[in-house]
Amino acid sequence: MSLDTPIDQARHDQIIEEVLAAYPEKAAKKRRRHLTTAQAGEGDEAPSCGVKSNVKSIPGVMTIRGCAYAGSKGVVWGPVKDMVHISHGPVGCGHYSWSQRRNYYTGTTGVDSFVTMQVTSDFQERDIVFGGDKKLGTMIDEIYELFPLANGISVQSECPIGLIGDDIEAVGKAKTQETGKAVIPVRCEGFRGVSQSLGHHIANDAIRDHVLDKVEGSDFTPGPYDVTIIGDYNIGGDAWASRILLEEMGLRVISSWSGDATLKEMANAPKGKLNLIHCYRSMNYICRHMEETYNIPWMEYNFFGPSQIEASLRKIAAHFDAAIQEKAEAVIAKYRPMVDAINAKYKPRLEGKTVMLYVGGLRPRHVIGAYEDLGMEVVGTGYEFAHNDDYKRTGEYIKQGTLVYDDVTGYELEKFIEQVRPNLVGSGIKEKYAIQKMGVPFRQMHSWDYSGPYHGYDGYAIFARDMDLAINNPVWSRMTAPWKAA
């Protein structure tokens, strides 16, 4: 299938009906609202994908979502490197602290950087009965004694904390005054909201309430070209690849968070001239707050694939003067030979291949352009925890007839793959091995399958190589998909 070939919308609509037919009537009625095909827009408008989103998953149906604690601890706060992040509650959730999501950082682990460390209050039955406030206070003292270069602590509350009513705010306030370092309470109990999305929002609110105008930032003289990168978690070095391009076009990145970020960097953000947000879903809340409070404009940008990189560089440059705009064009021209070489090598091997995506955050739409730059076709995409505005933005990237699914169940995803039969699936670790057993090439698109970066021009070279390695690996010729065996 070439990029000019229409997607078979009628067939995709039929596949949805076949999948829904397996459900009881009540469940089918609920799930129907979450499955659709992209409809043609009016006139020059982009296709629309009006699915229902951000509602509770159906009990008894396996969902791939995470919880509010995962959204706060695992996404927003966990990558802040010079703070110790306490998983406050039982060790089961605390184990999620271990290693994080390949959020790369500079520094020495255990000395001035603590991203990959697991720190939990390890609640026991007695803590549930008598409360854990005293234990939390003792733990904070021990952390500062063990790690004197830690510049702050966040308390990431797990479900029991909210259920028993522990006052982590009072403990945080007392310890902040006592130590002179920030101790930030985050009410991100896992039961809050319908997915990890509310955890993002809660974490943003904690930044608003406890960091901006509360923590002292770095001492520097603001300039006319100061920008802040927000919502880039530096998975595999993504934020570094983005920063290179922004600095080459003459901008000064005064703060980049939360990947490879310090607490002072986060506090610097209100001094910038423009906030650049990469993961809209997880950080748009704090960007809106800074626009309202400090009059700092913000924009979403996309550094996946050369087409979107060029568009984003020009869009960013338009916020500044002609000098920055000229430098942006120079950056684009500088990397064009590199892009041409990448496409010449990989496009003949990948052109016409089809892709289905099911990821979180921004990836179900942002990576589409990178696939298309390689001549590939995204025929299905969906989010784990999106809101309506995410799907509205997705329409700008997809073609009419594209299969769209929200909070897709394991059954639905497998059936869609069986019927659509894409050449590649990009999703998460929970889906990876089941799909590979179906004989379908797979890339883990939450954390780049131990590769990366994928952002920027350098990342595009790695992205193209990885997709080629996945699809054209000779191992697939040794496997038979279940539907072919049948």
Side-chain angles (χ1 to χ4, degrees):
M1 178 184 293
S2 70
L3 294 181
D4 297 325
T5 304
I7 293 175
D8 190 343
Q9 183 166 8
R11 174 58 183 148
H12 284 182
D13 288 332
Q14 180 185 352
I15 291 170
I16 291 173
E17 294 303 320
E18 291 173 2
V19 167
L20 290 171
Y23 285 126
E25 183 179 352
K26 187 175 181 181
K29 183 178 179 181
K30 287 185 176 181
R31 285 303 302 160
R32 184 181 297 277
R33 300 179 299 169
H34 299 267
L35 309 173
T36 191
T37 55
Q39 306 297 311
E42 296 182 7
D44 295 331
E45 290 185 6
S48 62
C49 35
V51 295
K52 190 75 174 176
S53 61
N54 197 37
V55 297
K56 290 182 179 180
S57 301
I58 299 174
V61 176
M62 181 60 72
T63 178
I64 302 166
R65 286 173 166 175
C67 66
Y69 163 81
S72 175
K73 171 65 174 68
V75 177
V76 177
W77 278 103
V80 182
K81 65 183 180 182
D82 67 337
M83 298 178 67
V84 173
H85 306 286
I86 299 173
S87 293
H88 188 38
V91 72
C93 298
H95 185 72
Y96 184 82
S97 307
W98 194 256
S99 192
Q100 293 295 317
R101 298 163 59 224
R102 299 180 63 248
N103 307 112
Y104 284 4
Y105 57 92
T106 56
T108 304
T109 302
V111 177
D112 60 357
S113 299
F114 311 95
V115 174
T116 55
M117 297 182 65
Q118 178 195 25
V119 181
T120 175
S121 51
D122 187 23
F123 256 47
Q124 304 296 313
E125 186 176 345
R126 62 179 177 274
D127 300 311
I128 300 295
V129 175
F130 297 109
D133 288 350
K134 186 175 180 181
K135 183 175 188 177
L136 178 61
T138 302
M139 188 178 182
I140 291 169
D141 293 337
E142 290 177 352
I143 287 172
Y144 281 138
E145 184 177 352
L146 286 168
F147 308 115
L149 296 184
N151 289 322
I153 291 172
S154 78
V155 181
Q156 306 288 324
S157 52
E158 301 171 18
C159 286
I161 307 307
L163 294 174
I164 65 177
D166 270 8
D167 194 349
I168 61 173
E169 289 82 6
V171 176
K173 183 177 180 180
K175 288 301 177 182
T176 298
Q177 294 173 347
E178 183 182 321
T179 64
K181 295 182 179 181
V183 178
I184 299 172
V186 189
R187 282 283 179 186
C188 57
E189 293 90 352
F191 57 73
R192 296 183 183 273
V194 301
S195 69
Q196 57 262 57
S197 180
L198 185 60
H200 303 150
H201 200 159
I202 292 167
N204 279 224
D205 288 349
I207 295 169
R208 176 197 66 197
D209 297 338
H210 298 281
V211 178
L212 304 185
D213 294 332
K214 306 294 191 303
V215 174
E216 185 178 350
S218 303
D219 185 16
F220 70 96
T221 303
Y225 303 132
D226 293 345
V227 299
T228 296
I229 297 174
I230 295 179
D232 193 322
Y233 304 103
N234 206 31
I235 296 171
D238 282 338
W240 297 333
S242 299
R243 189 169 190 147
I244 288 170
L245 297 180
L246 295 171
E247 291 178 347
E248 282 188 348
M249 66 185 283
L251 302 178
R252 181 171 67 163
V253 180
I254 62 169
S255 179
S256 178
W257 39 281
S258 58
D260 195 33
T262 63
L263 190 57
K264 282 183 176 292
E265 266 197 83
M266 297 173 75
N268 284 342
K271 301 176 184 178
K273 296 295 186 293
L274 177 66
N275 285 330
L276 301 172
I277 182 169
H278 205 266
C279 184
Y280 171 86
R281 181 70 277 134
S282 64
M283 284 284 195
N284 75 87
Y285 317 101
I286 198 68
C287 289
R288 295 177 190 277
H289 167 73
M290 284 193 277
E291 183 177 42
E292 295 168 1
T293 306
Y294 308 106
N295 199 30
I296 302 173
W298 62 274
M299 59 165 284
E300 185 181 14
Y301 72 103
N302 182 351
F303 275 0
F304 286 105
S307 296
Q308 292 299 325
I309 294 171
E310 290 183 14
S312 290
L313 288 176
R314 289 180 175 127
K315 188 177 176 184
I316 293 167
H319 282 265
F320 299 94
D321 57 27
I324 296 297
Q325 294 171 28
E326 289 176 10
K327 288 181 180 179
E329 293 300 327
V331 170
I332 292 169
K334 172 187 173 181
Y335 287 99
R336 208 158 261 159
M338 176 182 174
V339 171
D340 291 342
I342 294 167
N343 288 342
K345 181 177 181 179
Y346 292 107
K347 200 168 182 178
R349 298 171 59 83
L350 296 172
E351 195 158 21
K353 303 294 186 183
T354 56
V355 186
M356 285 180 63
L357 299 169
Y358 180 58
V359 215
L362 52 92
R363 297 168 188 82
R365 63 178 183 274
H366 270 202
V367 299
I368 291 174
Y371 283 113
E372 291 180 343
D373 288 335
L374 292 169
M376 303 172 72
E377 181 88 27
V378 174
V379 295
T381 191
Y383 297 82
E384 295 175 13
F385 47 82
H387 296 204
N388 289 340
D389 50 354
D390 291 298
Y391 285 104
K392 184 176 180 180
R393 284 170 161 78
T394 303
E396 301 172 11
Y397 292 89
I398 60 178
K399 293 172 63 174
Q400 179 184 345
T402 302
L403 195 59
V404 181
Y405 30 83
D406 176 73
D407 187 27
V408 72
T409 68
Y411 163 75
E412 290 165 359
L413 185 61
E414 288 188 18
K415 286 298 180 182
F416 286 152
I417 293 168
E418 180 180 326
Q419 294 298 318
V420 175
R421 302 189 185 182
N423 299 110
L424 178 73
V425 174
S427 192
I429 192 65
K430 294 187 287 292
E431 301 80 69
K432 177 177 180 177
Y433 301 106
I435 292 171
Q436 286 182 332
K437 288 177 180 177
M438 297 169 72
V440 178
F442 185 94
R443 286 301 299 182
Q444 208 272 69
M445 294 299 287
H446 283 286
S447 57
W448 312 152
D449 236 338
Y450 320 107
S451 184
Y454 281 177
H455 293 186
Y457 289 107
D458 293 334
Y460 181 60
I462 298 170
F463 174 85
R465 179 203 66 188
D466 287 354
M467 299 310 123
D468 178 47
L469 285 172
I471 291 176
N472 294 309
N473 192 318
V475 71
W476 304 115
S477 65
R478 311 295 297 174
M479 297 181 66
T480 303
W483 52 83
K484 290 183 179 179

